[in-house]
Amino acid sequence: MQINLSEGDSIMAHTRKKIAVIGAGFVGSTTAHWAAQKELGDVVLLDINEGSAIGKSLDLAQAASIEMFDTKIKGTSNYADIKDADVVIVTAGMPRKPGMSRDELIGINAKIVKDVCAGIKANAPNSIVIVVCNPMDVMALYAKQQLGFPRERVLGMGGCLDSARFRTFIAEELNVSYKDVTGVVVGNHGDAMVPLVRTASVGSVPLIDLLPADKIAAIVQRTKSAGAEIGGHLKTGSAYYAPSRGAVEMAEAILKDQKRVLPVAVELKGEFGVNDGMMVGVMCVIGGNGLEKIIDYKFNADEKAEFEKSVNAVRALCEGLKTVQ
Ligand code: APR
């Protein structure tokens, strides 16, 4: 029997998921790498620098026969190629330079996000969009405005990264496996983020029973400045392995309808007293529909005060959007 397949056809085509990664820089190419390796679906890597997107895609595809992943990878600068993507991960944008805050990137990155959203809206109008570029909460909010998608389908990646950093530092301090540590960071993806010490545990034992307050305070502080710590060493850019893995954690939850409970930046509509459309990280159930539920975490008074400061930090930054053309 002879099977004739035209180019692009596949017997199982209807079951393959499609992930578009916008921006083929450090974060974007590493996102494509994790997604391909995990066989989450076919990957389209798009960048205005077409050569970079195509070159990195060819390179990654050539690792498939060693690593044994069944993932098609395509590099492009043409938005038509992201047609009907299930998930779009937005990494296009300038990274921080040493000494720069995430906030200083607003003007530059908002213009990029505007272009990118036009491409997504025209070609993948039913996609679930994960925003990674910084300042993440503000860029996610801006993307949501530009896309006009419901809040369930525009999600910001910051909490997964910040929580991973929090857990890493706890595991290292106690010399235990990373696998046995829990702990969540909510709020904005910036200096005012809120590591929730009450949620941290090691082998289900509360962290507060395992470490003295000064050690915990040092972990909280290092979590808040972890991005700057890395940037200070790199000098020419910012972190990318853990940020991209955070984005892929969210993409996997969506593509496999996992109903993961993850800290994700979403538009709040009255939850936690936030009524003005701010996007900020809270604990969410993430599944096939994107945001499926916001967990009603009961903040204590200190946590609530910190969370409010964190939301106010996003509010203040949103002022910077008013001047974007
Ligand atoms: N459309 C598509 N791609 C674009 C556009 C655009 N309008 N503008 C810039 N890019 C691409 C660049 O060509 C570059 O390849 O975005 C990519 C950014 O890559 P890097 O400079 O390597 O930056 P990276 O470290 O990946 O960080 C990207 O993620 O974590 C955040 O703060 C970080 O905002 C930054 C973003």
Side-chain angles (χ1 to χ4, degrees), residues 229-247:
E229 181 183 349
I230 292 170
H233 289 292
L234 293 178
K235 303 224 166 24
T236 52
S238 56
Y240 51 98
Y241 287 114
S244 56
R245 189 59 186 83

Side-chain angles (χ1 to χ4, degrees), residues 95-151:
R96 283 196 281 175
K97 302 279 182 311
M100 217 177 167
S101 73
R102 292 183 181 94
D103 316 349
E104 290 172 64
L105 299 171
I106 290 185
I108 304 161
N109 285 351
K111 285 200 185 103
I112 295 174
V113 166
K114 190 173 182 177
D115 274 4
V116 169
C117 287
I120 298 172
K121 207 172 166 178
N123 294 282
N126 299 317
S127 59
I128 297 173
V129 177
I130 299 171
V131 178
V132 182
C133 52
N134 277 311
M136 184 281 296
D137 310 271
V138 182
M139 289 304 113
L141 186 146
Y142 189 60
K144 187 177 173 302
Q145 291 171 355
Q146 295 295 314
L147 289 165
F149 289 4
R151 74 165 174 171

